[in-house]
């Protein structure tokens, strides 16, 4: 039997007077991988930011583990078990790899992830443990950002556009870490511009268009045509 881990109902989001999300209904089960695709400005990042409390959401619009979490501050949501790997990585440049990773553990929860386990997932980070964030390649910075989020032992990991600006080889390596993350019991929401990658990696897929869900379904049941129409719209 599947257990719903997170559910949103009619989730809206605003930047001042500007409405970015218009009633998003979304679900992810424990241990599931779900991709969100959509054109620039469709609302994908705003949706992730709402889930972790960076954008304000109505109390009952988000349920996590059966409890309402809308309106909770970000640090409280991390303690509940949701962690965001933001677009653009956002490391602390003057801190070393290891210091960046350790920061991810606070606030955190007990669970399977530790510094050793993150190093086992991305061995290059152990080699570079004393290097400052600025000395790393884009791909290595992305690994630190993922490791830092895992250090809080989330049951749900949110990954925003991890492929942005990285070479295909590095993208392959980073996506190669996904099965190990899922095997540790973590569900993952992946925001991805590359439709092929999104379909390969996920059990289910949501397409956002102009702040609304334009398509949702199992990745293996959706056709390219359906997805193109939902992605680009028919106008
Ligand atoms: P991208 O792929 O470009 O990141 P996205 O699907 O993640 O796109 P969002 O970044 O969530 O889209 O943006 C949704 C809408 O909200 C867009 O119209 C965007 O211009 C607007 N928006 C995003 N951030 C802000 C902000 N800080 N202030 C005002 N409007 C914003």
């Amino acid at each position: 039997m599947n257990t719903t881990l997170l559910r949103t109902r009619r989730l809206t989001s605003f930047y001042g007077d500007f409405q970015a999300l218009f009633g998003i209904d979304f679900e992810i089960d424990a241990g599931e991988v779900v991709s969100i695709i959509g054109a620039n400005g469709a609302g994908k990042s705003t949706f992730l930011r709402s889930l972790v409390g960076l954008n304000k959401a109505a109390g009952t619009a988000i349920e996590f583990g059966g409890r309402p979490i809308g309106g909770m501050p970000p640090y409280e949501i991390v303690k509940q078990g949701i962690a965001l790997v933001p677009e653009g990585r956002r490391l602390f440049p003057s801190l070393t790899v290891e210091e960046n990773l350790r920061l991810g553990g606070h606030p955190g929860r007990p669970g399977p992830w530790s510094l050793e386990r993150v190093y086992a997932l991305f061995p290059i980070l152990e080699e570079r443990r004393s290097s400052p964030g600025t000395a790393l390649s884009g791909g290595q910075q992305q690994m630190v950002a993922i490791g830092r989020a895992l250090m809080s032992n989330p049951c749900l990991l949110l990954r925003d556009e991890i492929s942005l600006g990285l070479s295909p080889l590095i993208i392959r390596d980073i996506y190669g870490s996904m099965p190990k993350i899922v095997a540790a019991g973590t569900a993952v929401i992946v925001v991805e511009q590359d439709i092929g990658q999104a379909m390969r990696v996920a059990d289910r897929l949501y397409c956002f268009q102009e702040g609304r869900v334009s398509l949702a379904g199992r990745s293996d049941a959706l056709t390219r045509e359906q997805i193109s129409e939902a992605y680009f719209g028919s106008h």
Side-chain angles (χ1 to χ4, degrees), residues 15-16 18-21 38-47 49 55 87 160-161 191 193 208:
Y15 294 99
F18 177 78
Q19 184 163 8
L21 298 179
N40 286 337
K44 306 176 300 294
S45 299
T46 303
F47 179 69
R49 289 173 57 82
N55 283 33
E87 194 177 343
D160 197 357
E161 308 236 359
V191 162
Q193 289 269 356
F208 283 14

Side-chain angles (χ1 to χ4, degrees), residues 156-175:
L156 177 60
L157 183 71
L158 316 179
R159 295 167 72 153
D160 197 357
E161 308 236 359
I162 56 179
S163 316
L164 220 61
L166 300 180
S167 74
L169 216 62
I170 303 288
I171 293 171
R172 198 197 59 193
D173 279 358
I174 288 180
Y175 269 101

Side-chain angles (χ1 to χ4, degrees), residues 85 88-91 125 132-147 174:
V85 184
R89 315 188 249 283
R90 312 233 176 89
L91 304 189
L125 297 188
T134 42
L136 303 181
S137 70
Q140 290 164 358
Q141 288 183 29
Q142 184 65 62
M143 291 172 195
V144 176
I146 294 169
I174 288 180

Side-chain angles (χ1 to χ4, degrees), residues 160-214:
D160 197 357
E161 308 236 359
I162 56 179
S163 316
L164 220 61
L166 300 180
S167 74
L169 216 62
I170 303 288
I171 293 171
R172 198 197 59 193
D173 279 358
I174 288 180
Y175 269 101
S177 68
M178 284 275 286
K180 289 179 192 153
I181 294 171
V182 174
T186 312
V188 188
I189 300 177
V190 182
V191 162
E192 185 48 80
Q193 289 269 356
D194 178 338
I195 298 176
Q197 186 71 268
M199 291 177 82
R200 271 194 298 283
V201 76
D203 305 306
R204 286 187 306 116
L205 193 122
Y206 284 80
C207 185
F208 283 14
Q209 198 190 356
E210 295 174 2
R212 296 181 168 82
V213 173
S214 54

